Amino acid sequence: MTPNQTPSSAAPITYASAGVDVEAGDRAVELMKDAVKATHTPEVMGGIGGFAGMWDASALLQYRKPLLTTSTDGVGTKVAIAQAMDKHDTIGQDLVGMVVDDIVVVGAQPLFMTDYIACGRVVPERIADIVRGVAEGCRLADTALVGGETAEHPGLLAADEYDVAGAATGVVEADMVLGAERVQSGDVVIGMASSGIHSNGYSLVRRVVNAAGWSLDREVTELGRTLGEELLEPTRIYSRACLDLVQRLNGHDGGSDLPVRAFSHVTGGGLAANLARVLPRGLMATVERDTWSLPPVFRLVGELGRVPQSDLERTLNLGVGMVAVVDPEVAAKSISVLVDAGIDAWEMGTIGALTDDAAAAGLDFVQGAKGVDGGAVLMRGQYAA
């Protein structure tokens, strides 16, 4: 028998026998389509199942000079917690939060989003749960979910393994863009509370939990629920509240001296590194740790794993998911607007000139981060009890 021949008795090889179930994918679409449709605005054209999502760009004609913004992300190893608990209806909200809240940092409105799920085996109910979570996140962000893809990768991923990613597009007026060029000495730094760990640092968290031998179904008194429930708490989505703040305080006309100067989304790298990215060279934010208490889950991770404070601060959000830099004259109003939107907010620091001796603070000092040659952040004091 030559290499190109097969025994006549061998069963034919099909796509299904190779591990890909096309019919399961179709069932997943049927289960999720109502949740996806619920996110659609009048600008969304076409239906579910097309090769490409469409969005009516004539809505942008109202802008003087629209700038399109885009962002893409995933949720990291938090998916391992969802898989271990067999609970998949919140991980999609995490995905949306990671993407749209990067877009809102420049003051942009997220318009539409697409998602991507790679899995070892399509389980229609599980895929639908994931996408329902994405749709819920899009609803919270006033963003349309216009399409997505589910890819079955047998042999590459285990049957019950999956990963998620997404991308979104937004828009902002050119003269309304927020960022480092607007920040001034004397500005105030406002912290916005996180809902928990969000979607960064789970490699550290999982290592701590595994080393301690704790199970995800362990009831933890200081958390008021099981460890797994705490670790799956979905990422808070800030875009709607941040845009409301911008519209109420900056107005719609643009200009060189808008009172809301910048936002910083606190993700991988922690508070100081991400805040430094939206500050100009020569300026430094001094953040006072005693303006907030570490939420219990962060204290637990630190104590359980004897994780150094410097490592916690450069890995986890430690209770601050988003930061605003504002003119001091609108600081109190900004906090009021955010609190009215359901987000705990407080004044946590100020912007001033970078001093020559600041770097002597060692691990409490960060200058520039993630390739941005920007400003600096000094973390000072101890966290409130």
Side-chain angles (χ1 to χ4, degrees):
M1 185 173 62
T2 67
N4 292 326
Q5 292 177 320
T6 58
S8 58
S9 60
I13 297 174
T14 65
Y15 208 13
S17 69
V20 177
D21 188 341
V22 175
E23 292 181 358
D26 292 340
R27 290 197 300 274
V29 172
E30 286 298 314
L31 291 173
M32 71 177 71
K33 67 181 182 180
D34 287 343
V36 175
K37 284 181 179 178
T39 73
H40 287 183
T41 61
E43 291 80 17
V44 177
M45 311 300 292
I48 295 172
F51 283 89
M54 294 186 292
W55 194 87
D56 183 0
S58 64
L60 304 184
L61 294 175
Q62 62 184 299
Y63 288 80
R64 298 181 298 276
K65 184 178 180 181
L67 300 183
L68 294 180
T69 65
T70 185
S71 178
T72 185
D73 211 338
V75 300
T77 62
K78 189 171 185 175
V79 295
I81 306 294
Q83 291 161 18
M85 295 183 64
D86 195 22
K87 179 174 170 54
H88 314 282
D89 58 348
T90 60
I91 204 75
Q93 180 174 326
D94 291 295
L95 178 62
V96 176
M98 290 297 97
V99 174
V100 301
D101 285 337
D102 276 359
I103 283 178
V104 82
V105 161
V106 296
Q109 166 70 55
L111 300 174
F112 53 85
M113 181 168 177
T114 57
D115 61 33
Y116 175 80
I117 305 168
C119 61
R121 172 176 59 114
V122 169
V123 178
E125 295 76 14
R126 182 163 60 209
I127 299 300
D129 274 350
I130 296 170
V131 176
R132 288 189 189 109
V134 177
E136 172 63 10
C138 285
R139 183 190 69 80
L140 293 172
D142 294 327
T143 304
L145 180 58
V146 298
E149 173 71 8
T150 299
E152 203 166 18
H153 291 165
L156 182 62
L157 295 170
D160 293 323
E161 289 181 344
Y162 64 82
D163 198 9
V164 296
T169 297
V171 64
V172 60
E173 284 282 11
D175 59 0
M176 298 285 287
V177 173
L178 305 182
E181 64 280 0
R182 296 194 181 275
V183 177
Q184 303 174 26
S185 182
D187 284 346
V188 170
V189 181
I190 293 173
M192 302 179 217
S194 67
S195 58
I197 296 177
H198 285 183
S199 300
N200 296 101
Y202 274 82
S203 294
L204 171 64
V205 172
R206 290 168 50 243
R207 178 67 180 272
V208 167
V209 170
N210 290 338
W214 283 28
S215 63
L216 294 175
D217 61 1
R218 181 185 181 120
E219 292 284 347
V220 183
T221 302
E222 53 264 53
L223 300 178
R225 52 182 169 177
T226 68
L227 176 63
E229 288 170 337
E230 177 70 29
L231 297 184
L232 271 192
E233 178 67 31
T235 301
R236 173 165 283 155
I237 294 176
Y238 300 90
S239 56
R240 182 183 291 174
C242 289
L243 289 171
D244 183 45
L245 182 66
V246 167
Q247 290 162 4
R248 292 176 66 172
L249 298 185
N250 286 5
H252 302 277
D253 296 331
S256 60
D257 191 26
L258 302 177
V260 179
R261 320 284 203 202
F263 291 118
S264 175
H265 189 196
V266 183
T267 55
L271 171 60
N274 284 288
L275 179 54
R277 297 167 69 186
V278 299
L279 303 180
R281 283 181 57 84
L283 290 187
M284 179 177 74
T286 300
V287 174
E288 307 290 350
R289 293 188 181 102
D290 63 2
T291 59
W292 82 99
S293 299
L294 294 185
V297 66
F298 299 105
R299 293 186 181 275
L300 177 66
V301 171
E303 294 168 2
L304 196 61
R306 301 190 301 279
V307 183
Q309 178 174 294
S310 60
D311 208 59
L312 286 174
E313 289 185 336
R314 293 174 187 244
T315 306
L316 305 174
N317 69 60
L318 297 189
V320 184
M322 182 73 81
V323 172
V325 180
V326 304
D327 185 310
E329 293 187 3
V330 301
K333 178 65 174 177
S334 298
I335 291 171
S336 176
V337 169
L338 293 168
V339 170
D340 286 347
I343 298 175
D344 289 339
W346 66 96
E347 187 174 324
M348 65 190 313
T350 56
I351 306 296
L354 175 61
T355 59
D356 292 337
D357 61 347
L363 294 175
D364 290 337
F365 176 80
V366 173
Q367 184 171 18
K370 296 193 176 183
V372 177
D373 186 16
V377 176
L378 175 66
M379 302 288 291
R380 190 165 66 179
Q382 301 298 319
Y383 294 103

